[in-house]
């Protein structure tokens, strides 16, 4: 949205934080850059045709733990229609949303946000950081989210997977301002 150099190759360098980026027309990087964001049904880059995905790609096993459910009472703080079912329609951009108590959708809507892995590692490993690091790998002490001044880089770091897409009042993404907390170093 803010930088034409942010193409799919750039998104693929840090998909955990960058797949929530939007283009100027509102298209999420996770939609436009499916391969870079691991949305192609696997991590194998082999050009072998991939079967067409069903509407629900991550079908849970018949035996579910209680932790792998959506809270039927949860809804976004600005709209009662923004339930877990609504979040599930675009989890990469909505799982960071919160209710009026500050509970993020990623916590209340575990099934919709694909948080049902029991806390284990993501089956798609994050890319290994390059050994050459930027000289500026610190969190901006003045940055905070546009809706809450308490949402600073430390807050972002507590749940970086769902929060590094937050923006400040001037549109700066947390993933840019909170490089250390978002694992961008």
């Amino acid at each position: 949205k803010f930088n034409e150099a942010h193409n799919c190759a750039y998104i693929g360098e840090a998909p955990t934080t960058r797949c929530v980026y939007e283009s100027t027309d509102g298209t999420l990087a996770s939609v436009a850059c499916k391969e870079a964001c691991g949305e192609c049904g696997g991590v194998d880059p082999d050009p072998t045709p991939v079967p067409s995905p069903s509407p629900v790609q991550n079908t849970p096993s018949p035996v579910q733990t209680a932790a792998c459910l959506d809270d039927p009472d949860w809804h976004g703080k600005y709209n009662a229609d923004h339930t877990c079912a609504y979040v599930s329609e675009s989890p990469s951009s909505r799982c960071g949303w919160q209710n009026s108590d500050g509970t993020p959708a990623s916590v209340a809507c575990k099934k919709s946000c694909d948080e049902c892995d029991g806390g284990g590692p993501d089956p798609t490993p994050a890319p290994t950081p390059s050994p050459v690091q930027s000289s500026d790998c610190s969190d901006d002490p003045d940055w905070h989210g546009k809706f809450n001044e308490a949402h600073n880089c430390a807050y972002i770091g507590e749940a970086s997977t769902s929060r590094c897409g937050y923006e400040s009042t001037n549109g700066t993404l947390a993933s840019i301002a909170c490089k250390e907390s978002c694992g961008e170093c």
Side-chain angles (χ1 to χ4, degrees):
K1 187 179 212 178
F2 303 106
N3 189 331
E4 289 184 22
H6 292 178
N7 58 22
C8 290
Y10 174 82
I11 297 298
E13 292 172 4
T16 303
T17 56
R18 296 178 181 165
C19 287
V20 297
Y21 287 9
E22 291 182 19
S23 66
T24 53
D25 68 357
T27 302
L28 286 170
S30 61
V31 173
C33 304
K34 290 185 181 286
E35 184 176 340
C37 293
E39 300 288 329
C40 291
V43 296
D44 186 1
D46 185 342
T48 305
V50 176
S52 298
S54 63
V56 178
Q57 290 180 318
N58 295 320
T59 306
S61 64
V63 178
Q64 290 185 347
T65 64
C68 188
L69 299 173
D70 287 344
D71 181 345
D73 298 322
W74 187 93
H75 62 80
K77 65 181 162 186
Y78 299 115
N79 190 329
D81 291 332
H82 291 175
T83 62
C84 291
Y86 183 79
V87 167
S88 73
E89 294 172 10
S90 185
S92 61
S93 64
R94 296 177 181 162
C95 287
W97 289 3
Q98 297 181 357
N99 68 4
S100 59
D101 296 329
T103 303
S106 60
V107 172
C109 306
K110 289 190 176 293
K111 183 176 178 183
S112 292
C113 291
D114 195 24
E115 297 287 334
C116 297
D117 62 2
D122 188 326
T124 305
T128 305
S130 167
V132 178
Q133 300 297 326
S134 166
S135 60
D136 182 22
C137 186
S138 59
D139 290 343
D140 180 347
D142 298 321
W143 186 93
H144 61 80
K146 64 182 169 185
F147 299 117
N148 190 331
E149 288 190 24
H151 292 176
N152 58 20
C153 290
Y155 175 82
I156 297 298
E158 292 172 4
S160 61
T161 302
S162 60
R163 296 179 181 164
C164 286
Y166 285 16
E167 291 183 5
S168 67
T169 53
N170 69 0
T172 302
L173 288 170
S175 61
I176 303 299
C178 306
K179 290 182 184 228
E180 185 175 357
S181 293
C182 288
E184 294 287 327
C185 299

